[in-house]
Amino acid sequence: MEAMKTVVLRDGKQVPALGMGTWMMGENPAYRTREIAALQHGIDLGICLIDTAEMYGEGASEELVGEAIRGRRDQVFLVSKAYPHHAGRKSAPMACERSLARLGVECIDLYLLHWRGSIPLAETVEAFEKLKAQGKIRRWGVSNLDLADMRELYAIPEGKAAAVDQVLYNLTRRGIEWDLLPWLQSQKTALMAYSPIEQGRLLRHSAFCRLAEQHGWRPAQLALAWVLRHEGVIAIPKASRREHVEENFSALQCALSPEILAQIDRLLPPPKAAMPLEML
């Protein structure tokens, strides 16, 4: 079995660089058995980081994940996210308790602010630090925060405790390479890349598909391997079928030569200037 690449978080915790996303999973009862089997197969392979959120199906995804990990909690690194309006002193404890109940666990390994809202970042930091002190979460982070937001966060007392910034990053969304990604790497803060295959749209990019085939890989493998090659980057592709889980896992075997990386840059070039953070 291919060895799992890992990323070390700020507090020294080692986590898999390849995880499993669950956006839009748990919403259709007809797919439930298949989706649970896919998550459990991923855990068996060592893809034990699972990302979910209270927003996904208004809790349906968390409930699905809870069912998938029942009896296997100690094997899983669990990530969930709170709505921006649930990230205050009073709202965060209640939102966290609801997520814990849906997941069927006593503690969330990594709890994220899903995106920035009207609640001041300082209040969210205070609320999340309190949840950590109470043992409800082990660490916290943020999602969809751009460089200016991150600098503001890190200027707050205890703001530098943020373990990750989860953002949209893939071959067609490379803007963060200009400033956010190098800054996070300089701060030793992990970046968690959601939609690393652009929700499947990259698989319909004909020139990219031809490039992957020329090197004997499937497009999804190459797209995921490209994201995973970065130090300090965790990729969380969704995989609702066993075969997708296995294809994602096989991306760990793709060694990208300088020649292939140059071909990719010509086809899907890096940014030439700063640009606003993209979101899905």
Side-chain angles (χ1 to χ4, degrees), residues 2-57:
E2 182 68 21
M4 176 60 71
K5 182 183 177 183
T6 59
V7 168
V8 179
L9 300 182
R10 180 180 298 281
D11 63 357
K13 175 67 175 177
Q14 200 171 55
V15 300
L18 176 61
M20 294 185 286
T22 60
W23 191 9
M24 294 181 283
M25 288 173 64
E27 297 181 28
N28 188 329
Y31 302 152
R32 191 173 193 84
T33 300
R34 186 188 78 194
E35 290 172 342
I36 289 172
L39 290 172
Q40 291 176 337
H41 186 51
I43 297 168
D44 291 339
L45 291 173
I47 313 174
C48 56
L49 185 152
I50 301 177
D51 175 84
T52 185
E54 66 170 340
M55 186 194 83
Y56 299 168

Side-chain angles (χ1 to χ4, degrees), residues 51-81:
D51 175 84
T52 185
E54 66 170 340
M55 186 194 83
Y56 299 168
E58 293 301 319
S61 170
E62 288 181 322
E63 290 173 354
L64 179 89
V65 170
E67 189 173 341
I69 68 171
R70 195 167 296 147
R72 310 181 69 170
R73 173 66 184 98
D74 60 346
Q75 299 175 42
V76 176
F77 186 88
L78 200 53
V79 185
S80 195
K81 299 182 282 291

Side-chain angles (χ1 to χ4, degrees), residues 49-254:
L49 185 152
I50 301 177
D51 175 84
T52 185
E54 66 170 340
M55 186 194 83
Y56 299 168
E58 293 301 319
S61 170
E62 288 181 322
E63 290 173 354
L64 179 89
V65 170
E67 189 173 341
I69 68 171
R70 195 167 296 147
R72 310 181 69 170
R73 173 66 184 98
D74 60 346
Q75 299 175 42
V76 176
F77 186 88
L78 200 53
V79 185
S80 195
K81 299 182 282 291
Y83 273 119
H85 55 280
H86 288 167
R89 288 185 194 92
K90 294 182 179 178
S91 54
M94 293 186 290
C96 185
E97 287 292 352
R98 289 191 295 267
S99 288
L100 290 168
R102 287 188 291 262
L103 290 161
V105 300
E106 295 180 355
C107 182
I108 294 169
D109 296 300
L110 176 60
Y111 196 47
L112 307 181
L113 169 67
H114 207 151
W115 65 90
R116 189 169 186 178
S118 59
I119 293 173
L121 288 176
E123 184 176 337
T124 296
V125 171
E126 179 189 328
F128 283 7
E129 281 291 318
K130 189 171 181 180
L131 286 170
K132 189 166 75 171
Q134 293 171 341
K136 303 293 185 181
I137 65 174
R138 291 196 171 91
R139 55 194 66 77
W140 62 268
V142 293
S143 180
N144 296 303
L145 262 61
D146 209 345
L147 181 55
D149 298 311
M150 291 302 297
R151 284 182 166 146
E152 182 183 338
L153 175 66
Y154 275 28
I156 297 167
E158 299 183 305
K160 286 188 178 180
V164 308
D165 186 11
Q166 182 181 125
V167 300
L168 175 63
Y169 182 47
N170 59 53
L171 273 165
T172 61
R173 314 273 194 160
R174 298 183 63 174
I176 65 167
E177 293 174 24
W178 184 263
D179 48 15
L180 179 61
L181 177 57
W183 186 86
L184 289 170
Q185 290 172 325
S186 75
Q187 298 293 320
K188 294 185 168 41
T189 303
L191 183 136
M192 193 174 285
Y194 72 80
S195 298
I197 310 173
E198 184 64 9
Q199 294 186 304
R201 284 184 285 273
L202 260 170
L203 311 185
R204 298 191 289 275
H205 190 294
S206 56
F208 177 72
C209 290
R210 284 196 297 273
L211 176 63
E213 288 161 11
Q214 285 169 13
H215 292 281
W217 295 323
R218 292 185 176 184
Q221 287 176 305
L222 181 56
L224 198 48
W226 181 87
V227 172
L228 287 167
R229 84 188 199 282
H230 290 286
E231 286 304 311
V233 173
I234 300 160
I236 49 169
K238 186 179 92 167
S240 56
R241 296 175 181 269
R242 283 176 61 104
E243 54 267 33
H244 290 159
V245 172
E246 291 181 359
E247 185 172 62
N248 292 344
F249 183 68
S250 67
L252 294 163
Q253 302 170 16
C254 298

Side-chain angles (χ1 to χ4, degrees), residues 211 214-215 217 255-267:
L211 176 63
Q214 285 169 13
H215 292 281
W217 295 323
L256 305 187
S257 68
E259 177 194 0
I260 297 170
L261 293 173
Q263 288 176 308
I264 290 173
D265 283 349
R266 285 192 293 271
L267 190 62

